């Protein structure tokens, strides 16, 4: 990974209860005695003006804060309609400018639509202004095969093409025996790219089909006298497309099997 500098963190947890946040931090190994201070806020005002003013004041009063997490962005912006482009654009632009003016990084979380989209970045719930006004967008989603995938797009620097995201998950037991507990992700690592995985699966499927043709030919020859037969007989008796059977005969010949 890249070398980074530690700094104090301001977490605006506007959805999850503080008990859940504390549990996640505990499982992740956060130690207030050794790690940088993390200030957690679980309430927001009812207008974006008040929220931005409060955030800027908090940043000014805590100059060591260089990382702000907003969960979720819609609860912070307080726009009446998240599908209204101009209203969202103005609010996100103000938040982006605040980050640039104070040289901090703001990570804002957003939900995804329930319906899958061809472009994973179009799945961000609300208007495309959420996507257009940020410096970097990160999406985590589940394709039809159920694997977790991450992809990024950025105004500057490198981006991550759709890549399998491998997660380490631990289950924290609940307070009673009947509780299913809480799953907490303790770490991530990048696997193969989605394109690479598709190519790998396609190659496996192709090889499986090739082996199937080879097995048909070998099985047919076992029933022949001296386990031999003319090529025209193999093509006639072995089911499948002629070119596939011919290719299988060639592979078996090269391997010295026939």
């Amino acid at each position: 990974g890249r070398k980074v500098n530690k700094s104090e963190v301001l977490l605006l947890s506007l959805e999850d209860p503080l008990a859940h946040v504390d549990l996640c931090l505990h499982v992740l190994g956060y130690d207030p005695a050794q790690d940088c201070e993390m200030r957690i806020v679980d309430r927001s005002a009812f207008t974006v003006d008040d929220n931005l003013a409060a955030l800027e004041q908090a940043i000014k009063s805590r100059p060591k804060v260089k990382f702000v997490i907003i969960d979720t962005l819609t609860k912070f912006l307080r726009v009446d309609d998240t599908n209204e482009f101009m209203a969202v654009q103005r609010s996100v632009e103000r938040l982006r400018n605040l980050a640039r003016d104070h040289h901090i990084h703001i990570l804002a979380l957003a939900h995804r639509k329930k319906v899958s989209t061809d472009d994973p970045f179009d799945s961000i719930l609300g208007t495309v202004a959420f996507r257009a006004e940020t410096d970097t967008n990160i999406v985590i989603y589940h394709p039809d095969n159920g694997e977790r995938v991450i992809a990024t797009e950025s105004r500057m620097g490198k981006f991550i093409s759709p890549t399998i995201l491998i997660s380490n998950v631990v289950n924290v037991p609940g307070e009673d025996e009947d509780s299913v507990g809480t799953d907490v992700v303790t770490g991530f690592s990048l696997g193969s790219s989605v394109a690479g995985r598709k190519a790998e699966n396609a190659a496996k499927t192709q090889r499986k089909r090739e082996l199937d043709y080879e097995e048909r030919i070998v099985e047919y020859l076992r029933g022949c006298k001296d386990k031999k037969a003319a090529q025209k007989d193999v093509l006639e008796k072995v089911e499948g497309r002629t070119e596939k059977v011919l290719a299988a005969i060639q592979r078996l010949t090269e391997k010295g099997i026939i």
Side-chain angles (χ1 to χ4, degrees):
R2 298 181 179 179
K3 183 179 179 180
V4 296
N5 296 321
K6 290 185 177 181
S7 71
E8 292 186 7
V9 178
L10 177 61
L11 169 60
L12 278 63
S13 181
L14 308 179
E15 281 201 340
D16 294 325
L18 287 178
H20 180 72
V21 177
D22 288 341
L23 174 63
C24 291
L25 291 175
H26 173 72
V27 174
L28 290 172
Y30 175 69
D31 183 359
Q34 298 184 15
D35 297 322
C36 292
E37 184 178 353
M38 177 178 290
R39 173 74 173 177
I40 302 175
V41 178
D42 65 343
R43 295 286 189 275
S44 66
F46 293 102
T47 68
V48 66
D49 291 336
D50 290 340
N51 282 331
L52 285 168
L55 177 57
E56 185 164 28
Q57 179 58 38
I59 294 170
K60 288 180 177 179
S61 64
R62 291 177 170 268
K64 292 184 179 181
V65 170
K66 298 299 179 183
F67 186 33
V68 176
I69 304 171
I70 302 176
D71 182 15
T72 61
L73 182 57
T74 52
K75 287 198 172 184
F76 180 86
L77 298 181
R78 294 294 188 181
V79 292
D80 294 330
D81 185 359
T82 56
N83 290 306
E84 186 180 346
F85 183 91
M86 291 306 300
V88 171
Q89 182 188 46
R90 285 192 294 266
S91 297
V92 177
E93 182 181 18
R94 293 171 64 187
L95 184 62
R96 186 195 65 197
N97 290 341
L98 187 150
R100 292 179 178 178
D101 291 342
H102 294 278
H103 306 288
I104 64 172
H105 177 74
I106 297 179
L107 174 65
L109 280 65
H111 290 294
R112 295 183 64 247
K113 299 172 183 175
K114 299 297 184 182
V115 180
S116 299
T117 57
D118 293 334
D119 184 344
F121 295 99
D122 286 338
S123 67
I124 299 173
L125 189 63
T127 172
V128 294
F130 284 111
R131 175 184 182 183
E133 279 301 315
T134 53
D135 290 328
T136 298
N137 293 307
I138 305 172
V139 290
I140 298 177
Y141 60 100
H142 291 274
D144 295 335
N145 60 8
E147 291 181 304
R148 184 179 281 109
V149 174
I150 185 173
T152 71
E153 60 179 4
S154 182
R155 296 179 187 273
M156 298 170 289
K158 297 180 179 180
F159 65 91
I160 300 175
S161 59
T163 300
I164 305 299
L165 190 62
I166 302 171
S167 57
N168 302 318
V169 181
V170 298
N171 183 267
V172 181
E175 296 180 356
D176 54 78
E177 296 181 356
D178 297 329
S179 174
V180 295
T182 302
D183 288 336
V184 179
V185 177
T186 60
F188 286 108
S189 60
L190 295 179
S192 58
S193 67
V194 172
R197 177 65 64 86
K198 288 182 178 179
E200 181 182 321
N201 291 338
K204 288 181 180 179
T205 300
Q206 176 65 20
R207 183 55 187 150
K208 183 177 179 181
R209 292 172 179 170
E210 291 175 350
L211 288 173
D212 182 57
Y213 270 94
E214 293 173 14
E215 290 172 359
R216 292 183 208 172
I217 294 171
V218 171
E219 185 65 25
Y220 169 70
L221 292 177
R222 284 174 181 165
C224 296
K225 184 179 180 180
D226 298 327
K227 298 182 180 181
K228 296 181 180 179
Q231 180 173 286
K232 66 178 183 63
D233 294 331
V234 176
L235 293 175
E236 180 181 343
K237 298 298 184 179
V238 175
E239 294 183 358
R241 297 171 60 180
T242 300
E243 64 270 23
K244 299 292 184 181
V245 177
L246 284 171
I249 291 174
Q250 182 177 352
R251 290 193 300 273
L252 291 170
T253 302
E254 293 173 350
K255 294 176 184 177
I257 297 177
I258 62 174

